Amino acid sequence: AVNPHVAGALDGVGAALAQQGRWNEALEWRERGLAMWKRSVGAGHSETATSLHGLANILRDAGRQAEAESVYTEVLALRNRLYRPNADVLGRTHSDLGLLHLRQGRLPAALAELQLARRILGETKEERHPDLREVHRRLALVSEALGRPDDVAFFRGKASIP
Protein backbone atom coordinates (compact mmCIF):
# COMPACT_ATOMS: atom_id res chain seq x y z
CA ALA A 1 0.00 0.00 0.00
CA VAL A 2 1.06 3.56 -0.67
CA ASN A 3 1.48 5.70 2.43
CA PRO A 4 0.22 9.29 2.07
CA HIS A 5 2.66 10.42 4.78
CA VAL A 6 5.50 9.45 2.47
CA ALA A 7 3.92 11.51 -0.32
CA GLY A 8 3.85 14.51 2.01
CA ALA A 9 7.49 13.95 2.95
CA LEU A 10 8.50 13.82 -0.72
CA ASP A 11 6.66 17.10 -1.33
CA GLY A 12 8.45 18.58 1.67
CA VAL A 13 11.86 17.63 0.29
CA GLY A 14 10.89 19.20 -3.03
CA ALA A 15 9.84 22.41 -1.28
CA ALA A 16 13.10 22.56 0.68
CA LEU A 17 15.16 22.06 -2.47
CA ALA A 18 13.15 24.78 -4.23
CA GLN A 19 13.94 27.23 -1.42
CA GLN A 20 17.60 26.57 -2.21
CA GLY A 21 17.05 27.21 -5.93
CA ARG A 22 17.79 23.58 -6.80
CA TRP A 23 14.98 23.47 -9.37
CA ASN A 24 15.68 20.19 -11.15
CA GLU A 25 15.99 18.26 -7.91
CA ALA A 26 12.96 20.04 -6.46
CA LEU A 27 10.88 19.12 -9.49
CA GLU A 28 11.99 15.51 -9.31
CA TRP A 29 10.95 15.20 -5.65
CA ARG A 30 7.67 17.07 -6.20
CA GLU A 31 6.80 14.86 -9.16
CA ARG A 32 7.50 11.76 -7.08
CA GLY A 33 5.31 13.12 -4.29
CA LEU A 34 2.54 13.96 -6.74
CA ALA A 35 2.62 10.47 -8.23
CA MET A 36 2.40 8.99 -4.76
CA TRP A 37 -0.53 11.24 -3.83
CA LYS A 38 -2.36 10.13 -6.96
CA ARG A 39 -1.78 6.47 -6.09
CA SER A 40 -2.69 6.83 -2.41
CA VAL A 41 -5.70 9.18 -2.42
CA GLY A 42 -6.54 9.63 -6.11
CA ALA A 43 -6.12 12.31 -8.75
CA GLY A 44 -9.22 14.21 -7.62
CA HIS A 45 -8.24 14.63 -3.96
CA SER A 46 -7.46 17.92 -2.21
CA GLU A 47 -3.98 16.66 -1.21
CA THR A 48 -3.25 15.96 -4.87
CA ALA A 49 -4.33 19.52 -5.72
CA THR A 50 -2.00 20.87 -3.02
CA SER A 51 0.89 18.85 -4.42
CA LEU A 52 0.09 20.06 -7.94
CA HIS A 53 0.03 23.66 -6.72
CA GLY A 54 3.48 23.21 -5.21
CA LEU A 55 4.71 21.76 -8.49
CA ALA A 56 3.30 24.76 -10.39
CA ASN A 57 5.08 27.16 -8.03
CA ILE A 58 8.40 25.41 -8.60
CA LEU A 59 7.91 25.43 -12.37
CA ARG A 60 7.09 29.16 -12.22
CA ASP A 61 10.12 29.98 -10.08
CA ALA A 62 12.35 27.82 -12.30
CA GLY A 63 11.30 29.92 -15.31
CA ARG A 64 9.25 27.18 -16.95
CA GLN A 65 6.27 29.48 -17.35
CA ALA A 66 4.22 27.66 -19.97
CA GLU A 67 4.37 24.44 -17.96
CA ALA A 68 3.53 26.32 -14.77
CA GLU A 69 0.50 27.93 -16.37
CA SER A 70 -0.77 24.56 -17.55
CA VAL A 71 -0.41 23.08 -14.06
CA TYR A 72 -2.07 26.12 -12.39
CA THR A 73 -4.99 25.67 -14.80
CA GLU A 74 -5.22 22.02 -13.75
CA VAL A 75 -5.10 23.01 -10.06
CA LEU A 76 -7.87 25.57 -10.52
CA ALA A 77 -10.08 23.06 -12.35
CA LEU A 78 -9.58 20.50 -9.60
CA ARG A 79 -10.07 22.97 -6.76
CA ASN A 80 -13.17 24.44 -8.39
CA ARG A 81 -14.68 20.94 -8.26
CA LEU A 82 -13.57 20.35 -4.66
CA TYR A 83 -14.29 23.65 -2.91
CA ARG A 84 -16.87 26.38 -2.53
CA PRO A 85 -16.30 29.45 -4.76
CA ASN A 86 -14.78 31.59 -1.99
CA ALA A 87 -12.39 28.97 -0.57
CA ASP A 88 -9.07 30.46 0.46
CA VAL A 89 -7.13 27.82 -1.50
CA LEU A 90 -8.73 29.19 -4.66
CA GLY A 91 -7.63 32.68 -3.68
CA ARG A 92 -4.04 31.54 -3.17
CA THR A 93 -4.06 29.72 -6.51
CA HIS A 94 -5.35 32.81 -8.33
CA SER A 95 -2.70 34.89 -6.55
CA ASP A 96 0.09 32.57 -7.67
CA LEU A 97 -1.25 32.49 -11.23
CA GLY A 98 -1.37 36.29 -11.11
CA LEU A 99 2.30 36.37 -10.12
CA LEU A 100 3.11 34.10 -13.06
CA HIS A 101 1.28 36.47 -15.44
CA LEU A 102 3.12 39.42 -13.92
CA ARG A 103 6.46 37.73 -14.56
CA GLN A 104 5.35 37.02 -18.12
CA GLY A 105 4.51 40.69 -18.60
CA ARG A 106 0.84 39.84 -19.12
CA LEU A 107 -0.36 42.69 -16.95
CA PRO A 108 -4.12 42.62 -17.69
CA ALA A 109 -4.20 38.87 -16.95
CA ALA A 110 -2.14 39.41 -13.78
CA LEU A 111 -4.46 42.16 -12.63
CA ALA A 112 -7.56 40.03 -13.24
CA GLU A 113 -6.17 37.02 -11.32
CA LEU A 114 -4.97 39.16 -8.42
CA GLN A 115 -8.25 41.06 -8.18
CA LEU A 116 -10.07 37.74 -8.03
CA ALA A 117 -7.65 36.50 -5.37
CA ARG A 118 -8.23 39.70 -3.38
CA ARG A 119 -12.01 39.28 -3.58
CA ILE A 120 -11.88 35.64 -2.49
CA LEU A 121 -9.35 36.11 0.30
CA GLY A 122 -11.05 39.32 1.43
CA GLU A 123 -14.17 37.26 2.15
CA THR A 124 -12.32 34.75 4.34
CA LYS A 125 -9.27 36.52 5.79
CA GLU A 126 -8.58 39.57 7.94
CA GLU A 127 -6.76 42.48 6.28
CA ARG A 128 -3.53 41.63 8.11
CA HIS A 129 -3.49 37.97 7.03
CA PRO A 130 -0.24 37.10 5.18
CA ASP A 131 -2.07 35.69 2.14
CA LEU A 132 -4.07 38.88 1.65
CA ARG A 133 -1.04 41.08 2.31
CA GLU A 134 0.87 39.14 -0.37
CA VAL A 135 -1.95 39.72 -2.87
CA HIS A 136 -1.79 43.44 -2.08
CA ARG A 137 1.99 43.42 -2.55
CA ARG A 138 1.55 41.76 -5.94
CA LEU A 139 -1.22 44.20 -6.90
CA ALA A 140 1.16 47.06 -6.07
CA LEU A 141 3.72 45.56 -8.47
CA VAL A 142 1.15 45.24 -11.25
CA SER A 143 -0.13 48.76 -10.60
CA GLU A 144 3.42 50.08 -10.77
CA ALA A 145 4.01 48.30 -14.09
CA LEU A 146 0.73 49.77 -15.38
CA GLY A 147 1.75 53.28 -14.32
CA ARG A 148 -0.98 53.74 -11.70
CA PRO A 149 0.74 55.54 -8.80
CA ASP A 150 -2.43 56.01 -6.72
CA ASP A 151 -3.11 52.27 -6.84
CA VAL A 152 0.54 51.54 -6.00
CA ALA A 153 0.29 53.66 -2.85
CA PHE A 154 -3.06 52.11 -1.89
CA PHE A 155 -1.89 48.51 -2.28
CA ARG A 156 1.48 49.13 -0.64
CA GLY A 157 -0.42 50.54 2.32
CA LYS A 158 -2.63 47.47 2.45
CA ALA A 159 0.39 45.17 2.17
CA SER A 160 2.12 46.81 5.13
CA ILE A 161 -0.79 46.68 7.59
CA PRO A 162 0.73 45.43 10.89
Side-chain angles (χ1 to χ4, degrees):
V2 177
N3 186 332
H5 296 291
V6 175
L10 294 172
D11 278 347
V13 171
L17 290 165
Q19 288 178 338
Q20 298 170 27
R22 296 165 59 183
W23 307 121
N24 291 334
E25 293 170 276
L27 287 168
E28 180 183 324
W29 283 91
R30 269 292 184 175
E31 287 167 350
R32 290 173 63 195
L34 177 59
M36 191 167 283
W37 279 118
K38 287 179 178 179
R39 286 194 310 273
S40 65
V41 297
H45 194 275
S46 62
E47 291 292 350
T48 303
T50 299
S51 184
L52 267 172
H53 190 161
L55 178 64
N57 287 345
I58 292 171
L59 289 164
R60 178 198 65 209
D61 294 344
R64 294 168 62 176
Q65 297 176 354
E67 292 170 87
E69 186 166 8
S70 175
V71 176
Y72 281 129
T73 301
E74 185 178 350
V75 172
L76 281 171
L78 179 54
R79 285 183 166 166
N80 278 318
R81 287 192 303 273
L82 292 169
Y83 297 102
R84 67 189 188 288
N86 67 339
D88 61 344
V89 294
L90 285 168
R92 286 193 303 274
T93 308
H94 284 290
S95 177
D96 286 342
L97 182 56
L99 177 60
L100 173 69
H101 291 322
L102 173 62
R103 290 182 181 174
Q104 293 171 322
R106 296 172 53 200
L107 300 179
L111 185 61
E113 291 294 340
L114 291 167
Q115 286 174 333
L116 183 54
R118 182 173 186 247
R119 184 188 59 74
I120 293 169
L121 292 171
E123 291 178 15
T124 61
K125 304 291 183 196
E126 293 183 17
E127 281 288 313
R128 69 177 65 86
H129 191 277
D131 289 345
L132 195 51
R133 289 173 65 184
E134 181 62 19
V135 169
H136 289 138
R137 188 187 70 74
R138 293 172 179 180
L139 279 164
L141 293 171
V142 172
S143 298
E144 187 171 41
L146 290 170
R148 298 178 178 171
D150 291 344
D151 290 344
V152 172
F154 175 79
F155 289 123
R156 282 186 180 156
K158 291 283 192 183
S160 64
I161 292 174

